[in-house]
Amino acid sequence: MLALNNLIQNEMMKLLAKKRLVIIGIIVGILVLMFTYAQFKQVEEQQKKLGTVDWRAALQQQIIDTQNRLSSNRMLDEWREQLEVGLKQQQYYLDNDINPSEPGAATFTRMFLENAIDLFIPLLIMIVASDLVSSENSQGTIKLLLTRPVKRWKILMSKYVTLLLSVSIIVAMTALLSYLLSGLVFGYQGWAAPVITGFELNGSDVDVSQVRLVEQWKFLMMDLGLVWLVAVVIGTLSFMLSVLVRSTPAGMGIMLAALISGAILNNMVSSWESAKYFFMVNLKLTTYISGSAPPIEGMTLLSSVITLLVWWLLALIVSFTAFTRKDVY
Amino acid sequence: MNKPKVLVTTIVSACVGLFFLFCLGWAILDHYGKKTSDLGGKEAPPINKDLPNDFTVVALGDSLTRGTGDESGKGYVGLVLEDLESEYNHKPLFHNLGINGQVSKELVQQVKQTEVRRQIKAADVILLTIGGNDLFQKGQTLIDYDSQVITESQKEYVENLDEIFKNINQVNDKATIFLLGLYNPFIGLDEDLDTNRIVRDWNNETAEVVADYKNAIFVPTFDLFQLSVKDYLYSDNFHPNKKGYRLIADRVAPLIKWEDETQ
């Protein structure tokens, strides 16, 4: 146990010395500032167009726009379904006099996390995860590490624990930075704003019998938990690749291809049902609690979480087996 | 890199990680924990005229309100607003609630919605186009021409229109309502002028309903398109084009009286 602890400390030191986390912080900061400005502009534009700051008028206009898009008969069925679901929810918010995007940093953070969960956060995680092992290979330090009188699995374990720790830091940092920076423009309020959760989807039907209000801070915490799970799974998969593939760029490339294909697949898999076993179409976990339609009918929060956990477990088994049996030369 | 700093980072991130794990469990439990709705039973929130007190135009109706066929996307409503703005040097507040393909039955539902009622309440002028889809049903009326069916849909439409006016007047009987009559897009295809008779009859019935409400005005458009219908229709031969919308707007805009409430 003591040996493992020391190894983790050692890995953490390497991680901090590489300054990767600082770089990730800068990337997040720049992006958040960009999105904050974009949203600020959008709100300004909308107010100019409607001549009022009233959110109800803006939401009503969004509903009318969606209705007009739906009335066009040249629309794919799956898009129509998603739009109808969104429409019913918007109408529900409006009928209950609840602003779905209460202005403030808390809302911005929630929206940012919900949009970042399937691509942006995984990319950040890859920066750290994809060279944890392979960099030792390319620098040749792996030999020094393995000649120590410590079991190999312990060495890999220390690296994996470091990965989990840095994943947690990254998720926390992303949330914190987007809150702090967007608050400069939108103000730091919005924690107690009500958010609606519990929409049950059945095709394009929205069942509101279980709908309930949650304070935004609770919703944000649940979002964070889901984001963290996605980050851990993606981190573990990149970690596996960094064990299997000796070159870091190759490992990153594979992971990147998988993630981007997931983003593309999400828009067109609804007719290919077995695609739901891919990890990359299961990443948008937050949509289940906010209630938008999943990419494939029949996917639920539980099925997605289990799919991700199976991939996670397989990746772990493969990593440890490969690492303990690998010839190092 | 000093050791305490590393240790602190390790401990902090471990705590953060455990916290996230807890959040994850909470999210899943909360999602599957069956709770009954604490909404739904809530009555509709009161409609206050908390929208700004400026001159407000609300446009309701179908694709004509939306501006389908006008490549600039303005439609007659956009053009009327431009005319108002240039005449009074001030931009009116404006809500366009038109939905493509809307029939009178759907508009009855729409004017009952809380937010729509709130906007109607704030309105000084309401522009309305409805009935085109009730009558023409995307050209079906012409293909299987049946006077029985038309009489029935007309009856239904008249009832719906009455209901629409009632609903609007319930929240706001000060606003002037301009209801646009139908034109006949099929006038060029029709040799024995059957459709002309139908549309004329439809417009007459509409005008009768409008006459029951003293704040409502029926604005005919039939004559505008009568002579050179081809020049004023979009390539779908149904909706007006930019020129057609200009004609309609030129007829509506001068009717609108802007009385500034702030003065």
Side-chain angles (χ1 to χ4, degrees):
Chain A
M1 195 60 215
L2 196 67
L4 192 57
N5 193 8
N6 284 336
L7 280 169
I8 293 171
Q9 290 294 306
N10 187 30
E11 288 297 330
M12 278 306 275
M13 200 182 289
K14 279 194 253 177
L15 180 81
L16 291 177
K18 276 186 199 158
K19 301 251 190 289
R20 287 275 163 82
L21 295 178
V22 179
I23 293 170
I24 291 172
I26 293 171
I27 295 176
V28 173
I30 292 173
L31 274 176
V32 166
L33 286 176
M34 272 167 57
F35 292 145
T36 305
Y37 184 71
Q39 180 153 23
F40 175 70
K41 276 280 165 207
Q42 195 196 353
V43 170
E44 205 179 42
E45 177 74 13
Q46 201 176 39
Q47 284 176 3
K48 218 170 74 186
K49 223 167 143 186
L50 288 170
T52 162
V53 293
D54 193 87
W55 63 267
R56 294 176 199 88
L59 186 57
Q60 177 72 57
Q61 209 52 59
Q62 278 176 30
I63 289 173
I64 295 287
D65 287 346
T66 317
Q67 280 175 325
N68 274 303
R69 283 175 69 192
L70 279 168
S71 71
S72 145
N73 47 12
R74 288 178 296 273
M75 186 180 284
L76 285 174
D77 278 350
E78 52 254 44
W79 287 2
R80 180 181 295 275
E81 213 162 81
Q82 294 205 347
L83 278 179
E84 274 173 7
V85 169
L87 182 70
K88 280 167 192 157
Q89 288 177 341
Q90 286 178 332
Q91 190 66 55
Y92 195 82
Y93 270 98
L94 194 55
D95 289 347
N96 285 286
D97 208 26
I98 292 166
N99 188 351
S101 45
E102 189 80 37
T107 306
F108 180 91
T109 310
R110 176 166 68 86
M111 302 274 184
F112 184 68
L113 285 176
E114 283 171 5
N115 286 303
I117 187 171
D118 63 334
L119 199 58
F120 181 56
I121 300 255
L123 286 179
L124 296 180
I125 302 299
M126 275 170 53
I127 297 177
V128 173
S130 57
D131 77 337
L132 265 182
V133 180
S134 53
S135 70
E136 306 265 5
N137 270 327
S138 50
Q139 291 168 7
T141 43
I142 189 92
K143 287 175 202 162
L144 293 174
L145 205 58
L146 293 184
T147 47
R148 290 207 190 160
V150 194
K151 290 224 166 60
R152 272 196 186 186
W153 71 265
K154 274 194 178 172
I155 290 176
L156 195 66
M157 189 52 126
S158 71
K159 283 188 175 296
Y160 187 67
V161 171
T162 311
L163 172 69
L164 290 184
L165 294 176
S166 48
V167 162
S168 308
I169 298 178
I170 291 170
V171 173
M173 196 164 63
T174 309
L176 210 62
L177 275 176
S178 69
Y179 178 70
L180 290 177
L181 291 177
S182 67
L184 291 175
V185 177
F186 301 121
Y188 294 100
Q189 80 283 19
W191 288 103
V195 181
I196 297 177
T197 180
F199 289 109
E200 299 256 333
L201 304 184
N202 204 336
S204 68
D205 283 336
V206 182
D207 176 9
V208 293
S209 65
Q210 308 231 342
V211 159
R212 58 192 182 278
L213 287 177
V214 178
E215 282 147 323
Q216 184 144 262
W217 65 270
K218 287 186 191 163
F219 200 89
L220 199 54
M221 272 172 70
M222 293 194 250
D223 268 355
L224 277 173
L226 297 172
V227 168
W228 180 76
L229 176 70
V230 168
V232 166
V233 172
I234 295 296
T236 311
L237 288 165
S238 323
F239 183 75
M240 174 187 79
L241 285 172
S242 106
V243 173
L244 295 178
V245 185
R246 294 178 69 95
S247 106
T248 310
M252 271 188 126
I254 294 169
M255 206 57 210
L256 206 58
L259 285 175
I260 290 172
S261 73
I264 298 171
L265 272 176
N266 261 330
N267 289 323
M268 45 197 237
V269 284
S270 67
S271 42
W272 174 22
E273 210 184 309
S274 48
K276 66 182 174 192
Y277 300 113
F278 286 129
F279 72 91
M280 56 270 199
V281 297
N282 284 296
L283 297 181
K284 274 198 160 261
L285 292 181
T286 48
T287 58
Y288 296 112
I289 58 172
S290 63
S292 11
I296 302 172
E297 211 177 317
M299 282 167 62
T300 61
L301 177 62
L302 200 63
S303 82
S304 283
V305 168
I306 290 176
T307 312
L308 288 179
L309 286 179
V310 169
W311 279 85
W312 169 80
L313 194 68
L314 287 177
L316 264 191
I317 294 173
V318 170
S319 314
F320 276 88
T321 335
F323 190 75
T324 43
R325 295 196 178 161
K326 188 152 82 171
D327 289 326
V328 177
Y329 41 84
Chain B
M1 191 65 51
N2 51 353
K3 272 212 151 172
K5 200 176 159 189
V6 174
L7 193 65
V8 167
T9 318
T10 313
I11 292 168
V12 168
S13 51
C15 293
V16 171
L18 285 175
F19 170 71
F20 285 151
L21 190 63
F22 162 76
C23 290
L24 174 65
W26 186 23
I28 293 172
L29 286 180
D30 184 86
H31 188 72
Y32 285 100
K34 293 291 171 198
K35 289 171 201 159
T36 42
S37 173
D38 52 6
L39 284 170
K42 213 174 119 187
E43 72 235 60
I47 41 165
N48 304 315
K49 189 179 172 174
D50 46 5
L51 285 163
N53 209 13
D54 297 357
F55 190 77
T56 307
V57 178
V58 171
L60 292 163
D62 49 29
S63 45
L64 259 64
T65 301
R66 203 73 223 165
T68 308
D70 180 359
E71 58 268 37
S72 64
K74 289 180 199 143
Y76 86 94
V77 185
L79 294 169
V80 165
L81 285 172
E82 280 181 6
D83 288 357
L84 286 177
E85 194 184 348
S86 62
E87 189 169 343
Y88 296 96
N89 290 320
H90 187 59
K91 210 174 169 183
L93 280 183
F94 167 54
H95 305 284
N96 190 341
L97 305 176
I99 297 166
N100 287 331
Q102 179 146 273
V103 295
S104 59
K105 205 171 121 200
E106 290 162 342
L107 185 57
V108 172
Q109 294 308 314
Q110 203 190 9
V111 292
K112 285 179 178 166
Q113 290 172 10
T114 320
E115 174 59 19
V116 173
R117 284 159 69 91
R118 206 174 64 101
Q119 294 186 359
I120 289 174
K121 194 174 183 184
D124 295 289
V125 166
I126 294 167
L127 301 172
L128 194 57
T129 63
I130 195 71
N133 298 305
D134 291 66
L135 173 58
F136 296 118
Q137 291 164 7
K138 290 176 181 151
Q140 278 300 311
T141 308
L142 265 191
I143 296 164
D144 26 77
Y145 173 75
D146 182 350
S147 60
Q148 188 69 37
V149 174
I150 292 173
T151 315
E152 258 168 54
S153 55
Q154 184 170 329
K155 200 167 148 251
E156 210 177 303
Y157 161 76
V158 166
E159 277 166 24
N160 288 334
L161 192 63
D162 201 45
E163 177 118 20
I164 293 163
F165 278 121
K166 266 197 198 111
N167 272 293
I168 293 176
N169 272 352
Q170 232 172 46
V171 277
N172 185 349
D173 51 6
K174 299 278 189 305
T176 321
I177 308 167
F178 295 92
L179 174 64
L180 268 65
L182 300 187
Y183 57 89
N184 182 7
F186 304 115
I187 198 166
L189 308 169
D190 195 2
E191 272 141 26
D192 32 355
L193 300 174
D194 258 347
T195 51
N196 260 355
R197 192 177 47 73
I198 297 168
V199 175
R200 206 167 48 234
D201 193 34
W202 189 280
N203 279 336
N204 287 341
E205 288 295 316
T206 311
E208 283 299 319
V209 178
V210 174
D212 290 341
Y213 297 89
K214 64 176 192 309
N215 59 333
I217 295 173
F218 179 79
V219 184
T221 61
F222 190 89
D223 53 332
L224 295 175
F225 293 84
Q226 208 166 356
L227 283 183
S228 36
V229 72
K230 277 218 174 90
D231 294 345
Y232 297 126
L233 286 191
Y234 181 58
S235 58
D236 62 0
N237 282 325
F238 186 70
H239 294 105
N241 60 15
K242 205 172 178 178
K243 276 197 241 158
Y245 279 119
R246 186 72 256 174
L247 283 180
I248 301 177
D250 284 346
R251 180 155 284 181
V252 177
L255 300 176
I256 297 176
K257 290 274 168 290
W258 182 329
E259 288 150 15
D260 205 337
E261 292 161 23
T262 50
Q263 286 170 11

